[in-house]
């Protein structure tokens, strides 16, 4: 499909959209994703950002990927860091996820529950899981960077309802939801 192509439902019915890019964004707005918070220590202090693009790449050796949309600010600090911590967030972290998703919001405050690992990375110790990683590859794709990392350590916390992102909003997924 090119940018001038028309988006179509599986029935073949055209959908009113101006471009493939718009249809792509619409498709992903309806696709829920887990919410992660990626942090590291930069020369000027701690940096972090909220991400919904974290994915498992390999179990042996353990590797994950995520994407960032620019190489400046927090994303630039993460890309330049020797290591980073990828936190899988629980529903109790929705305010932290919002703060790290917007520029200029309070970050790394004592009220948010931050500490540091011995290796220096900012750590949200009540996260259900956190993976300490180092970058293996950075691949430029359009205006974004796909980052593939090696998992060095895994910190497992208490289980919690999952935090998901869908259609520009956060959703709580409880463990008691019936499987299909």
């Amino acid at each position: 499909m090119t940018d001038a192509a028309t988006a179509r439902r599986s029935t073949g019915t055209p959908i009113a959209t101006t471009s493939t890019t718009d249809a792509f964004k619409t498709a992903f707005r309806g696709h829920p994703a887990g919410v992660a918070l990626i942090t590291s220590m930069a020369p000027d202090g701690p940096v972090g950002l909220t991400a919904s693009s974290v994915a498992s790449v390999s179990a042996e050796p353990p590797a994950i990927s995520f994407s960032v949309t620019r190489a400046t600010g927090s994303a630039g600090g993460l890309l330049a860091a020797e290591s980073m911590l990828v936190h899988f967030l629980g529903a109790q972290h929705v305010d932290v996820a919002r703060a790290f998703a917007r520029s200029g919001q309070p970050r790394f405050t004592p009220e948010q529950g931050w500490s540091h690992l011995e290796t220096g990375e900012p750590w949200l110790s009540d996260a259900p899981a956190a993976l300490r990683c180092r970058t293996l590859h950075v691949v430029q794709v359009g205006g974004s960077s796909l980052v593939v990392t090696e998992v060095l350590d895994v910190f497992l916390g208490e289980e919690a309802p999952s935090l998901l992102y869908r259609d520009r909003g956060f959703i709580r997924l409880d463990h008691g939801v019936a499987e299909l």
Side-chain angles (χ1 to χ4, degrees), residues 2-88:
T2 65
D3 249 7
T6 303
R8 298 183 184 278
R9 296 257 181 231
S10 58
T11 59
T13 307
I15 301 168
T17 184
T18 58
S19 70
T20 302
T21 300
D22 290 342
F24 178 83
K25 289 177 182 178
T26 298
F28 267 91
R29 279 189 199 109
H31 181 72
V35 180
L37 183 59
I38 307 170
T39 62
S40 68
M41 187 57 74
D44 295 334
V47 294
L49 55 82
T50 302
S52 61
S53 61
V54 175
S56 171
V57 173
S58 169
E60 198 56 47
I64 62 172
S65 68
F66 61 89
S67 64
V68 293
T69 55
R70 58 180 174 235
T72 60
S74 292
L78 292 172
L79 292 171
E82 287 185 33
S83 61
M84 64 203 68
L85 205 54
V86 178
H87 303 81
F88 294 166

Side-chain angles (χ1 to χ4, degrees), residues 93-167:
H93 299 113
V94 67
D95 291 335
V96 175
R98 284 186 177 122
F100 281 78
R102 297 184 187 118
S103 296
Q105 297 297 306
R107 297 178 177 189
F108 301 107
T109 67
E111 299 79 25
Q112 293 170 336
W114 292 99
S115 62
H116 288 84
L117 294 179
E118 290 179 11
T119 50
E121 299 89 353
W123 181 33
L124 193 57
S125 60
D126 68 340
L131 294 83
R132 188 171 158 271
C133 305
R134 74 173 180 89
T135 301
L136 293 174
H137 306 285
V138 177
V139 180
Q140 297 303 132
V141 182
S144 296
S145 297
L146 175 66
V147 182
V148 179
T149 69
E150 171 187 24
V151 177
L152 304 171
D153 296 297
V154 177
F155 302 90
L156 297 176
E158 296 293 321
E159 285 191 22
S162 299
L163 184 61
L164 301 180
Y165 188 74
R166 182 182 182 275
D167 196 18

